[in-house]
Amino acid sequence: MQIQSVLEKKVKEAVKSIFGVDLPTVEFQPTRKDFEGDITAVVFPMLRFVKGNPEVIGTQIGEYLQEQLDEVSGFNVVKGFLNIVISDVFYLDFFNSIKTTNDFGCVAHAGEDAVMVEYSSPNTNKPLHLGHIRNNLLGHSVAEILKASGKKVYKTQIINDRGIHICKSMLAWQKFGKGETPESSGLKGDKLVGNYYVAFDKTYKAEISKMVSEGKVKEVAEKEAPILLEAHEMLQKWEAGDEEVVGLWKTMNSWVYKGFDETYKNLGVDFDQLYFESDTYLLGKDVVADGLKKGVFYKKEDGSVWIDLTDDGLDEKIVLRSDGTAVYMTQDIGTAIQRVTDYPDINGMVYTVGNEQDYHFKVLFLILKKLGFSWSESLHHLSYGMVDLPSGKMKSREGTVVDADDLMDDMTQTAATISQELGKLEDYSDSEKQELYRMIGLGALKYYILKVDPKKRILFNPEESVDFHGNTGPFIQYTYARIQSILRRAVRLDLSGFENLTGLENAIKLHAKEKELIKQIQLFPETIQSAAENFSPALIANYTYDLVKEFNSFYQQVSILGEPNEQKKILRVQLSKKVGEIIQSAFLLLGIQVPERM
RNA sequence: GGUGGCAUAGCUCAGCUGGAUAGAGCACCUGCCUUCUAAGCAGGCGGUCCUAGGUUCGAAUCCUAGUGCCAUCACCA
């Protein structure tokens, strides 16, 4: 906020000239709604330097400001708060200066450094669920926000395409599948593979209980169940490059990818670069060898390699097994380095991963730092809370997950029901309607998830469907549609000149609602920056909601197209247009589309 | 047990670097569609900001201790 620095300078000047004291800083805050004024300077902190009655001091400063600054049109002092009234001209000038700016609030790509944002990173043995949705929405949105804040961004994911979990699905398919394919069954590929993962687990559990009933200890049975041993065998064959196993692996993964692509497309997320664990799982071993030489790591007697992080308040952590194979940490070290090699302009990475892995990333970043990588300073774990159901945690194997595709369909269906009840779109074609229902349903879902601070846990109750009133996506979309309706009408009324009108007369007296709206508009650029710094789409969501609330209040209290004064009418249309643009940009950052009508 | 996160209205959440009588939405109650889309607006009801200390002119916010919930502490990820 430019005006604040002007005021700060003047307040210091005032204190210097009236009291002969230098103030180090001046504290400002937006004036509370119930007082007159726009910006408030807090007098209390000044008492440390200026002795006296805060009310008197505030008044003296206020008088000085009003006399010296055109922007200050009035003031009042309540207790230790100097409420400053900023002139309408200042707000009009500001609005005029930005009203034709495209992408207002966004910073064009500046600087050399790029950031890589990783999100999604699913396993290929089961379909995506609600937890992945939160992950995807967060990662995608943060990537967009970083872009808008001026960074170059690469979106990526590492696909967990190998390991025992996928062998379980493969084995079950071999045993019970009878050659079923997505084509033969009409099932989405990821769903089909997921079914076999569940089938494996069913058989596995049955074997365990049978063994237990035959007198085995449960823990032993869990390790020795025949089907599990078979899966392990399969994994070994895969690692040895067995043709049949690798062939099946490729086939089944290709089904899954096709299914994922569909889900991603529906969800509206995308990636610039994919990494596959089958390519990266051997990475990192040479780095460990290197670190061993440098003394970052040490070797235990059994040959396993560790790092001692006890001086940093953490524990000892293994980075290589005694048999020389990699653990996850090894891979993650290797993959991080690989990425910087692939994209040399990367200086920073964001990992969108649930908070259950907080410790892992703390360790990973610390290891990379100890290995001496300069970019290790700008690594960030975008840690988010779990999405839980009223019944507790979601478990794929137990079928207690909320499936991503189903959820999106349900939301679209709910949107359709509500829309049809309201019946405003009779002239839309079926496909137009369908598209709109999807837009609204997904808008509701995405907003619902993104408006919550990422680090907080979300309790999702499928019984109580996501709201469409109040602080919701559809409410904001609705406001956007209303604005478009005004703009269409404005064109029809031959007000087309409003786009290019400049140089509003300073004589216009702003309506209180207009002023509030401009103030809210003014906050958009700093909101983007702050959302980027905090990796928080929630800040964008909350800002947009405040803006929209302000707009609706304005819309209801003043007549826009019915305003007799031509200049005021034009200003109001322009304000509406700008608010619409901001809603659209802000929602783009959240990955939510906005409708022309609804 | 060690470590980390969270705790604000009946429910879901805001609350920026400490600042004025702690804000929204949902739900409940009352008004407002002959006027730019009522998925809206205006208003009412509703709070020991988990507890106890401390720092400060001033604490939901910072510090300490405790309580509750969650996660994590594996040659799992």
Side-chain angles (χ1 to χ4, degrees), chain A residues 283-292 294 296-297 307 329-344 346-349 351 363-379:
Chain A
L283 288 177
K285 290 192 191 184
D286 47 344
V287 183
V288 170
D290 225 41
L292 203 50
K294 286 195 219 156
V296 175
F297 305 123
I307 185 163
M329 191 61 75
T330 327
Q331 264 190 74
D332 281 350
I333 294 167
T335 307
I337 296 166
Q338 181 68 49
R339 288 171 175 178
V340 178
T341 311
D342 293 346
Y343 296 91
I346 287 182
N347 184 18
M349 290 185 231
Y351 293 84
V363 171
L364 173 65
F365 297 166
L366 193 52
I367 290 177
L368 288 166
K369 186 180 169 189
K370 286 183 185 290
L371 287 171
F373 295 103
S374 59
W375 41 264
S376 68
E377 298 291 342
S378 31
L379 298 174

Side-chain angles (χ1 to χ4, degrees), chain A residues 42-292:
Chain A
V42 190
V43 182
F44 295 114
M46 301 178 193
L47 297 178
R48 200 183 299 264
F49 306 95
V50 183
K51 298 294 169 215
N53 179 333
E55 211 140 344
V56 174
I57 295 169
T59 306
Q60 284 174 294
I61 296 172
E63 280 165 357
Y64 186 93
L65 292 178
Q66 188 167 11
E67 204 170 293
Q68 300 264 325
L69 289 173
D70 292 339
E71 293 92 334
V72 176
S73 63
F75 73 94
N76 62 80
V77 180
V78 181
K79 293 195 232 166
F81 299 94
L82 168 59
N83 301 320
I84 302 164
V85 182
I86 303 298
S87 73
D88 289 353
V89 174
F90 170 79
Y91 287 107
L92 280 167
D93 281 349
F94 163 75
F95 183 64
N96 275 325
S97 73
I98 58 100
K99 72 184 177 200
T100 53
T101 309
N102 288 325
D103 296 325
F104 166 65
C106 301
V107 176
H109 174 227
E112 313 269 290
D113 292 346
V115 182
M116 182 166 264
V117 179
E118 176 195 298
Y119 62 97
S120 198
S121 302
N123 289 353
T124 57
N125 61 328
K126 51 180 188 273
L128 303 177
H129 58 66
L130 179 53
H132 295 109
I133 288 189
R134 187 178 199 188
N135 181 305
N136 275 270
L137 295 179
L138 271 174
H140 182 260
S141 178
V142 164
E144 295 303 318
I145 290 167
L146 287 173
K147 269 192 217 169
S149 79
K151 293 244 166 44
K152 183 172 184 188
V153 173
Y154 301 110
K155 292 181 261 192
T156 193
Q157 62 170 330
I158 180 153
I159 298 159
N160 219 310
D161 63 344
R162 64 161 286 279
I164 190 72
H165 57 273
I166 180 72
C167 287
K168 288 177 180 175
S169 295
M170 285 157 61
L171 185 64
W173 183 87
Q174 263 186 347
K175 284 184 177 299
F176 321 119
K178 298 176 188 141
E180 185 184 28
T181 67
E183 290 74 28
S184 75
S185 63
L187 272 179
K188 207 161 155 276
D190 52 333
K191 298 278 157 59
L192 188 151
V193 173
N195 287 347
Y196 287 101
Y197 186 66
V198 174
F200 174 92
D201 197 60
K202 221 172 131 190
T203 310
Y204 174 55
K205 289 232 169 80
E207 286 183 358
I208 291 172
S209 44
K210 181 159 173 274
M211 290 163 79
V212 169
S213 72
E214 286 167 2
K216 281 262 188 200
V217 179
K218 192 168 176 244
E219 284 67 34
V220 177
E222 279 171 355
K223 282 185 182 154
E224 294 180 356
I227 195 163
L228 182 68
L229 296 180
E230 243 183 296
H232 277 296
E233 235 171 76
M234 191 179 238
L235 180 61
Q236 279 167 7
K237 281 188 182 167
W238 180 88
E239 288 186 0
D242 179 281
E243 228 169 275
E244 196 196 332
V245 171
V246 170
L248 178 60
W249 172 76
K250 281 187 180 162
T251 305
M252 288 183 75
N253 271 344
S254 76
W255 295 344
V256 172
Y257 297 146
K258 211 169 160 214
F260 282 176
D261 283 348
E262 204 181 312
T263 306
Y264 288 144
K265 191 162 167 271
N266 278 329
L267 199 54
V269 302
D270 56 7
F271 302 91
D272 300 308
Q273 166 76 327
L274 304 181
Y275 285 93
F276 294 89
E277 206 194 276
S278 53
D279 294 328
T280 62
Y281 81 108
L282 296 174
L283 288 177
K285 290 192 191 184
D286 47 344
V287 183
V288 170
D290 225 41
L292 203 50

Side-chain angles (χ1 to χ4, degrees), chain A residues 7-43:
Chain A
L7 285 173
E8 170 149 12
K9 219 176 131 209
K10 272 294 168 194
V11 170
K12 284 184 185 170
E13 201 180 295
V15 172
K16 178 77 177 168
S17 97
I18 302 167
F19 307 101
V21 177
D22 285 306
L23 280 183
T25 55
V26 184
E27 202 176 308
F28 290 98
Q29 57 183 286
T31 303
R32 289 180 64 105
K33 283 267 199 294
D34 13 284
F35 299 95
E36 194 202 351
D38 301 299
I39 300 178
T40 296
V42 190
V43 182

